[in-house]
Structure formats: C-alpha cells, structure tokens
Amino acid sequence: MPQLSDKRIFDALNDMYEAAKSGAPDQWVTVYKDISNILSCGPGALTAFLPRTNNFEIVASTADQESLKAYEEHYQFVSPFRETLIKLKPGEYFSRIESCTNEEYEKTELYQDLFRRQGVYQYEYHPLSDRPDLRGGISFSRPRSNVSFTKNERAVINFLLPHLQRAFQLHLALTRVQ
C-alpha cells in the first residue's frame, strides 16, 4: 500500500484545480489516478450523470476500455445500486458493503459478469454535484482481500472530496462561460 503523504495529497489537490481550469479529459484521468493511487483502489471512475439522457457517462477511469464500454452500454442500467446513486447528494456516499450483503451482491449480474472479473468487491460512490442538469460523482473499489478503508484513508477521502467537488463545479462553470 502506498504511503499516505502530504506531498501526494497536495499534488492531487493541485491536479484537481488544474483540471478544473483546463478541462482537458486527460487531466481528469490524472486526478482520478492520483486519488486512486493514494487510496490503493482498484478500478473506478469519475462520472457525470445526465438526467436528460438518464445515463452515467465516464469522465475518467482506471478500468480497461472494454469494461468501460460494457458498463456504459449495459451494466449501468442493471446495477442494483443505480437508483440509490442517482438520488445521493454531495456529502452522502454509497458503500456496497454497508448496503448489500455479500451473498446478495455475489448473485447480481453486475458482479458476476463485470465486477468479479475486475476484482471489484467493495464499491463506494461519492456524489460531487447535484445540479438538475448534471450530476457528477467518483467511485472507488477494492478487492475482496482489501475491502475496508482505514481510518487514515477515510480521513483522506473526507479531506479531498470537498476540493474535488469545488474543482468539478468550477470546471462546469468555466465550461459554461466558454
């Protein structure tokens, strides 16, 4: 597990605000990878949920392209967590471990056909905005062998999320102005 260090955390903060200014998709990938590496996470993503199309679109992810395409085209619609994720407000979060038993989860199509292959056992989702026209969020995953976040990792998540929310909302505002 990588060391939780102030330098890595501040580098991630810098990358967030740079991504907000530039808006380049590869910058958001860097932001996601920064956070994912700090927390030793498996596949996950920064997503945008567009209510008008009823779709989650992937902004940045560490998952392979084939899995991303499968998720966007099918698995987001059969996810047993979909409606819960859509309704979450910033400051709330969804934890698969807290919301669904292992037995229930292991029977889902999402786990059987996609997440098991990727090693996704624990899954968390944190909303970044709840605007009527666009919502954003970040998801983290962990394998079965490393399910829980430590107290220090949870503190890092709680520290970084308000900054990520601001950077995401700043990005949306700058995009609208441009």
Side-chain angles (χ1 to χ4, degrees):
M1 175 185 305
Q3 183 79 10
L4 294 174
S5 72
D6 289 347
K7 180 179 178 351
R8 291 183 69 192
I9 292 167
F10 287 116
D11 286 348
L13 289 173
N14 183 61
D15 288 344
M16 282 179 208
Y17 290 108
E18 285 299 316
K21 283 190 323 189
S22 82
D26 60 325
Q27 293 245 230
W28 287 109
V29 172
T30 299
V31 168
Y32 185 81
K33 285 181 178 179
D34 286 348
I35 297 169
S36 180
N37 288 334
I38 289 169
L39 298 172
S40 300
C41 292
L46 278 167
T47 58
F49 177 75
L50 305 168
R52 69 176 160 33
T53 63
N54 199 32
N55 283 325
F56 281 94
E57 293 185 8
I58 307 224
V59 176
S61 178
T62 54
D64 63 84
Q65 289 301 314
E66 181 182 325
S67 296
L68 293 176
K69 183 177 181 191
Y71 180 81
E72 285 185 327
E73 292 178 356
H74 178 69
Y75 292 101
Q76 70 166 299
F77 301 108
V78 299
S79 169
F81 319 125
R82 178 180 172 80
E83 293 307 313
T84 301
L85 302 183
I86 291 169
K87 293 176 184 173
L88 288 173
K89 306 269 186 238
E92 301 174 335
Y93 74 96
F94 171 82
S95 168
R96 196 287 297 168
I97 296 288
E98 295 172 11
S99 302
C100 178
T101 68
N102 293 344
E103 294 78 22
E104 291 172 318
Y105 176 62
E106 291 169 5
K107 292 177 186 174
T108 66
E109 180 182 355
L110 179 67
Y111 177 72
Q112 286 295 318
D113 296 350
L114 184 67
F115 281 178
R116 182 173 60 171
R117 185 172 29 122
Q118 295 178 323
V120 174
Y121 202 72
Q122 165 58 325
Y123 173 82
E124 279 196 16
Y125 179 84
H126 299 262
L128 301 175
S129 82
D130 61 350
R131 291 177 19 175
D133 60 330
L134 175 69
R135 298 178 189 151
I138 188 168
S139 61
F140 304 113
S141 74
R142 288 269 173 91
R144 186 186 288 262
S145 62
N146 184 22
V147 172
S148 300
F149 289 100
T150 67
K151 183 179 174 182
N152 288 342
E153 290 169 329
R154 189 64 65 198
V156 170
I157 291 169
N158 292 335
F159 175 77
L160 290 176
L161 279 176
H163 291 282
L164 186 56
Q165 289 168 340
R166 272 180 263 178
F168 184 76
Q169 291 175 4
L170 178 62
H171 168 69
L172 294 176
L174 291 173
T175 302
R176 184 172 286 163
V177 168
Q178 291 171 350

